[in-house]
């Protein structure tokens, strides 16, 4: 029951801190005979990498992944896949002045409350740097899922400005620095983020991740529900404060007639749903429709505005968090959210196969 | 990795279907020497029990719990606590006409897609009847947590009508059939629900559950996060489509300065937070503030309006779901949400004690 | 990580004490659509039942199992299978005089050391009565494994008297009260056990359990080894003090040439092994040969000879354990050992299918 | 439920193959604020290291461990401890001729049967090289257990020649290349092993590991038994075929009066046991006596004698396993067995603290 593992049959364990020599991960339970190389993982890491636009941290990390076990002659062997990424551009001096002060919104105080000490360099284990390993594991999960299952995400809201779902275009996502699926919102977000960045401030966002090609039947009733595991996965991402599936919080305002996804006979014997308020999951089990997941990311807690806080000695003080931070950490959460959904799906694919053949 | 277990050290396993002879649960890992009797559990079950107002299912279930193991001479022994509740008022005939049709919004189709068969009587294992066991387990979790920790919930929205947080009064919650903390909203909800009920319809709701008295330090980084486990717990409740902590989805619209919970030195050496956007959790670990969790419940899928669907033979048809259903299943989700939060907290209390002493 | 659960995908959880109202079990993860009824389980329970010969406890327990969930219209549904057996012939008064004394060889002292209290009636949770649930779960595991896999056991030694492996006859096992596969040893064991019984003493035994029909490939390397899980399973049975696979402790005396199981090409493309020192497992994975497991059971600790001990107040005293005890508890361990092996195999069958399809 | 993880709260996960770039491990759940550096681990690795006498493999591996996470300023932080050991002296060419043949006694065939492929270089994941990580984890477990708990082991039998328990001297263990606690047996084992080595053969052994200072109360009833977890741990070590606790298989030959460990009142209120047939565990829970565990190791399967086998194409052939092998792999199993016992104890220490405070 490791605190640092995720998944049951497709299990990901990570280790490493922001300013240690490296971060690492172990993917256990991966089926054998899947073609896998570093070039299958690197492109996904590159999408998450900082330093690629003025709207992300300027830390320069090549995030070059090495596969150190579990792959032989280009295919998985069924044994644990060890993954290592060196920390290259860790500047510990940036953090030396915050050694004794608790940054509001960060886990500085809670780590001390729990463990009595913490690795304060760059947030240590709390750093979002750990999410690089999630993205690497997610790349492997995609290989397990195969080409039929596609997992994609986009930012749908930054601050008060929402993308227009009617203009959704997946191709647009890779063309702008916001992972926006709506070309029309890009200019407005640029303007918003430039203002936020110049003010030394930060802002929150909402991300939507969808999976298509998931067959009906994955998941389980009661506690092993697919949506429950997705909720856990998304809420485990740094700075996430909310998760919803399908109609989500909006379902609370609906009548039963509005919410029910009507079914009609399909050509292949399987039903066709006339809507997708369920977000592809009923009773914890996939319906065969597209999975639709949204999660909310709070504004980066590292800001240049001085904020009241206390120090380790319990005295009142103020703090300004210098360093190289994302003005909207929600943007780079897109590849992370995709990766987590891919991992949950790979896990449930194996779990379903175990019980139901 | 049972699909039907929840928690790691304080672990709850449930079994049983809506129309079988009984539903059961096993609570394992409970500390020894805790005073426990059926009278500690029954009041919580009575709160969840159907048939108590016209706004809930008219099924008459006494929900009388029996402790069949793990307690000796009035105290827990440290061995697994077996719990049984007989199913008394199961009317299988009510369900006979839906044996072959998939009820939209229910898990009928997904169970068939997964298992190739299902116990269609009253929803079988998908029935919300299973939540009685969650409430029973939650009552034990409360005993483990002790008197310092208090877990309470309320409905804060039904349909479009929200309670006023400014008029929040915990004492009010037990005085109305909606678990409303705002006396002013009760009349409006009565009117709304009477309309819904008479129309044979149903409606969604939002529930807020809070825990006070939780010390700083419970939880864990990365995957064993307290909020990740809470999200999983809440999303595992029937009909829940969204979960949020603290500012939740609202955090996406905030700036870093707004979201940061400023800290001041407290009298006891511990910091005092000047706000609680974090909802009592930072970096997956409790801050010592009140935990604030909200979840959205979709409208009951069983409605009297005919809805298009298909049958097991893949043919188009319609269905009307008769039976004794809650017009707003979100109302009775309050004690269930409280119970799940209590279980997560008891689990993390033990997990924290294990690692940190 | 319940202390009272066994298995990962085919998971068995038990609860209940010797002198409570009942003992119960939950089997989770069972594949759906397997024909199952109480009559599939009862015969296995009847083999373990006390009171059937003068060489077993005279407690009269019908051990009538009830399936209370997870089966619908005669087949498993994929949901947890709840099992209950009422305790009928519990005579708590038999145990009242040992309430305050620790019985040497029993877990009385260790339960107190751990929990600070214990249910002393009939050993409470430590009672071998719990093994009835293992046998019931094992019966379900056999159904999961199917007819190709056969799990059988026999007593091969009682005290100093060993059965002759050269005269092994499975048919003989059901014809004598010792589960002996060697007809020639039965008379000698009768004589030995009559002496032990009349002396108010007890004696140890060695049991061998074998599984045939297990395909090559079940198990996993390193920590999820098939033999490691078998060792855990057998050592978890009450009174077991040793476990070995294949040549077992005898392997320590062999040379590499002697121990190597030579292989020849078989007719079906799979190798034929010329011996089975491995006991059917290499590197934690099944070879396709017969699995051969042995375990040692200590003599029943309940004896009529007065034994020096201490009481709960820490004072020297003596104890005589009256009651209805098995003079050789190893005999009734045969169906339990079979059941545990069947459970481990069913679990690994599902685990293998999950990862390798 | 990783196949490559061990332990529940003190959890060890390993990865890496014999001839990959490195082997790695992650220790999760370690309590914070424990002084730990590489120099605490390296001496234990040095004891297991090959190439130190003519009775061990001549592979020259410095086995230099690096701690890459979880330790900050010389103490554990409570986050996962990453451990890496580079593979330095891997000679893949030694193994090229066995690429297509199954070595009897090795897991070559079973890996192929399971996964359809294998990393044949040096045994890949099946290699005993993985046990270096167990030893490293065990060194951390010792720090968790503290100075009161001492875990030590010795070889007690090689082939037919047993050490004399009456001459047991722990100090002797570090003075000879066999981890023998009996100085009198060393010369005879030298002679035996020289003969075995010159014949290109190998031989089995029995190891005894003991833990002193374990308080009464660790462990759990039924499935989470301390002895069951020890059995699993030991059986998971490469080449182990049997495990026993206390009197072990010898208990089968005892009468109840002989086996009962009589108790007398001790000076500190705790009982003193007059013997230790139980090996320090009753009902799955520690008694406060010394834990006594023995396990049997089969002869190294890599021998120079040609042995009949088949190849991957299913054809009859012969094999001679050249390379640098231990003539008695049981010798170097001593530090591994100690490490596994230390890990099980650290895990149960935390598990006990979780439930019982």
């Amino acid at each position: 029951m490791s605190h640092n593992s995720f998944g049951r049959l497709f299990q990901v364990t990570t280790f490493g801190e922001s300013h240690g020599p490296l971060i690492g991960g172990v993917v256990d339970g991966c089926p054998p005979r899947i073609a896998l190389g570093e070039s299958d993982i690197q492109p996904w890491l590159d999408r998450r990498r900082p330093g690629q636009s003025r709207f992300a941290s300027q830390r320069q990390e090549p995030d070059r992944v090495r596969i150190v076990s579990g792959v032989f002659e280009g295919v998985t062997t069924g044994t644990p896949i060890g993954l290592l990424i060196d920390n290259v551009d860790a500047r510990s001096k940036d953090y030396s002045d915050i050694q004794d002060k608790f940054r509001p919104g960060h886990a500085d105080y809670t780590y001390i409350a729990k463990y009595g000490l913490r690795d304060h360099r760059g947030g240590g284990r709390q750093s979002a740097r750990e999410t690089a390993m999630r993205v690497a594991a997610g790349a492997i999960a995609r290989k397990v899922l195969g080409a039929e299952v596609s997992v994609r995400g986009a930012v749908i809201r930054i601050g008060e400005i929402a993308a227009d779902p009617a203009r959704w275009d997946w191709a647009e996502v890779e063309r702008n620095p916001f992972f926006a699926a709506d070309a029309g919102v890009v200019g407005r977000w640029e303007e918003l983020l430039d203002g936020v960045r110049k003010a030394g401030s930060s802002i929150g966002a909402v991300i939507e991740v969808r999976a298509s090609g998931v067959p009906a039947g994955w998941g389980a009733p009661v506690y092993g529900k697919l949506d429950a595991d997705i909720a856990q996965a998304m809420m485990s991402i740094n700075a996430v404060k909310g998760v919803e599936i399908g109609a989500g919080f909006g379902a609370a305002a609906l009548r039963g007639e509005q919410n029910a996804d009507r079914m009609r006979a399909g050509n292949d014997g399987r039903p066709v749903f006339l809507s997708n308020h369920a977000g592809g999951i009923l009773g914890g089990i996939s319906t065969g429709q597209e999975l639709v997941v949204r999660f909310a990311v709070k504004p980066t807690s590292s800001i240049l505005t001085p904020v009241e806080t206390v120090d380790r000695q319990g005295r009142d003080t103020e703090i300004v968090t210098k360093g190289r931070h994302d003005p909207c950490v929600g943007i780079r959460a897109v590849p992370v959210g995709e990766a987590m959904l891919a991992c949950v799906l790979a896990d449930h694919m194996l779990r379903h196969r175990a019980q139901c053949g």
Side-chain angles (χ1 to χ4, degrees), chain A:
Chain A
M1 60 142 282
S2 165
H3 299 306
N4 291 278
S5 294
F6 183 76
R8 312 255 185 131
L9 295 184
F10 182 87
Q11 188 172 70
V12 180
T13 301
T14 71
F15 57 99
E17 282 91 29
S18 171
H19 284 56
L22 52 79
I23 55 171
V26 186
V27 175
D28 197 16
C30 185
R33 300 188 305 279
I34 293 179
L36 183 71
E38 286 150 3
S39 62
D40 292 305
I41 302 174
Q42 196 62 51
W44 302 104
L45 284 169
D46 292 345
R47 287 179 84 217
R48 192 211 72 103
R49 200 149 53 81
Q52 302 191 101
S53 87
R54 69 180 186 274
F55 307 112
S57 162
Q58 294 306 302
R59 182 168 171 171
Q60 290 296 333
E61 284 292 352
D63 279 355
R64 192 63 53 189
V65 71
R66 278 181 293 148
I67 299 175
V68 295
S69 67
V71 174
F72 183 59
E73 298 180 344
V75 292
T76 59
T77 61
T79 62
I81 302 170
L83 302 165
L84 300 180
I85 296 175
D86 289 328
N87 290 327
V88 170
D89 187 22
R91 301 185 195 166
S92 290
K93 63 177 154 27
D94 280 352
Y95 297 95
S96 54
D97 57 335
I98 57 161
Q99 185 169 347
D100 283 326
K101 296 178 181 178
F102 302 130
R103 294 169 298 168
H106 278 286
D108 300 349
Y109 169 65
T110 56
Y111 268 61
I112 289 283
K114 181 171 195 73
Y115 299 120
L117 83 172
R118 69 186 170 105
D119 181 347
H120 61 267
R121 300 166 304 158
R125 184 77 180 143
Q126 355 155 2
S127 167
R129 194 147 174 68
E130 186 271 344
T131 61
M133 270 304 147
R134 302 179 185 226
V135 172
I140 300 174
R142 288 176 192 269
K143 301 282 284 188
V144 172
L145 292 167
E148 291 73 28
V149 176
S150 166
V151 180
R152 295 179 291 189
V155 175
I156 60 169
R157 187 150 66 88
I158 297 181
E160 301 279 7
I161 304 174
D164 179 356
R167 291 189 298 198
W168 194 286
D169 175 7
W170 281 116
E172 179 60 28
V173 171
E174 307 302 323
R175 291 190 205 121
N176 63 73
F178 305 109
F179 298 106
D182 164 17
V185 85
V186 171
R188 297 169 65 204
W189 284 355
E190 273 183 351
E191 194 178 357
L192 172 66
L193 264 289
D194 277 331
V196 164
R197 193 169 51 85
K198 283 168 189 162
S201 182
S202 64
I203 197 158
V206 177
I207 288 86
E208 182 167 308
V209 183
R210 301 191 199 167
S212 58
V214 175
W218 291 3
V222 185
Y223 302 111
K225 284 189 163 101
L226 182 57
D227 39 359
D229 283 354
I230 291 171
Q232 184 183 44
M234 297 307 165
M235 197 67 97
S236 80
I237 301 172
N238 308 45
V240 171
K241 299 304 287 183
V243 185
E244 59 182 18
I245 309 280
F249 275 87
L254 298 179
R255 302 278 171 132
E257 302 79 27
Q258 297 169 304
N259 185 65
D261 298 317
R262 287 158 170 76
M263 285 182 261
R264 296 284 77 187
N267 292 328
D268 57 356
R270 285 178 294 186
V272 172
F273 292 88
L274 305 184
S275 57
N276 190 13
H277 293 95
I281 303 175
L282 285 172
I285 300 171
S286 60
T287 63
Q289 288 195 281
E290 192 172 45
L291 294 197
V292 181
V293 181
R294 278 178 300 280
F295 58 93
V297 179
K298 70 180 185 184
T300 318
S301 298
S302 299
I303 50 176
L304 290 176
T305 311
V307 186
E308 297 159 284
T309 191
V310 297
D311 63 16
R312 290 189 59 172
Q313 285 70 41
R315 294 170 304 207
D316 283 351
T317 182
E318 280 199 340
I319 193 163
V320 171
T321 312
K322 290 169 195 156
R324 299 158 295 169
H325 306 291
D326 293 88
C328 176
V329 76
I331 298 169
R332 291 208 289 134
V334 171
V336 182
E338 289 177 0
M340 291 309 286
L341 184 55
C343 287
V344 172
L345 289 172
D347 190 39
H348 274 279
M349 184 184 103
L350 302 186
R351 286 158 73 170
H352 178 66
R353 187 161 75 185
Q355 188 177 13
C356 298

